């Protein structure tokens, strides 16, 4: 079963489910994909950007907490990115 599933590019569980559906004469009805609105897509992108900024802040905190030094120049790009994200979200809030 695993070889047959792999040859179709699907997992064994999906293969088994499809085999059962074929045997009993039913088909899987898959929901239509939901289209994302412009606002939802922008929020998703901003959320990802915030996560990346948070990761950078954590790396700097790790350096500082281990006795290293973090200069202001390392923080400037993070603050600029956050200001850009904030401006974009404010713009989106006005549009929606």
């Amino acid at each position: 079963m695993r070889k047959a599933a792999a040859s179709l590019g699907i997992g064994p569980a999906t293969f088994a489910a499809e085999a059962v559906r074929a045997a009993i004469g039913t088909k899987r009805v898959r929901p239509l994909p939901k289209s994302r609105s412009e606002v939802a897509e922008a929020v998703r992108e901003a959320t990802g950007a915030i996560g990346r900024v948070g990761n950078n802040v954590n790396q700097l905190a790790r350096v500082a907490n281990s006795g290293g030094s973090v200069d202001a120049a390392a923080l400037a790009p993070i603050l600029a990115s956050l200001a850009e994200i904030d401006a974009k979200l404010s713009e989106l809030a006005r549009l929606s």
Side-chain angles (χ1 to χ4, degrees):
M1 182 171 72
R2 289 179 194 201
K3 285 183 182 180
S7 72
L8 295 173
I10 59 176
T14 302
F15 180 82
E18 294 294 330
V20 169
R21 285 188 193 97
I24 62 175
T26 63
K27 283 192 152 194
R28 179 177 181 201
V29 179
R30 295 185 176 148
L32 293 174
K34 295 179 183 176
S35 62
R36 289 188 176 146
S37 71
E38 218 177 287
V39 173
E41 185 63 25
V43 170
R44 185 192 66 77
E45 289 175 9
T47 302
I50 291 168
R52 289 187 293 278
V53 169
N55 185 40
N56 291 339
V57 170
N58 284 338
Q59 290 174 0
L60 293 175
R62 203 171 298 124
V63 169
N65 289 333
S66 66
S69 64
V70 176
D71 60 3
L75 298 175
I78 293 171
L79 294 174
S81 294
L82 287 173
E84 186 178 326
I85 291 166
D86 185 53
K88 183 66 174 175
L89 290 176
S90 294
E91 177 186 332
L92 288 170
R94 285 191 298 273
L95 294 175
S96 59

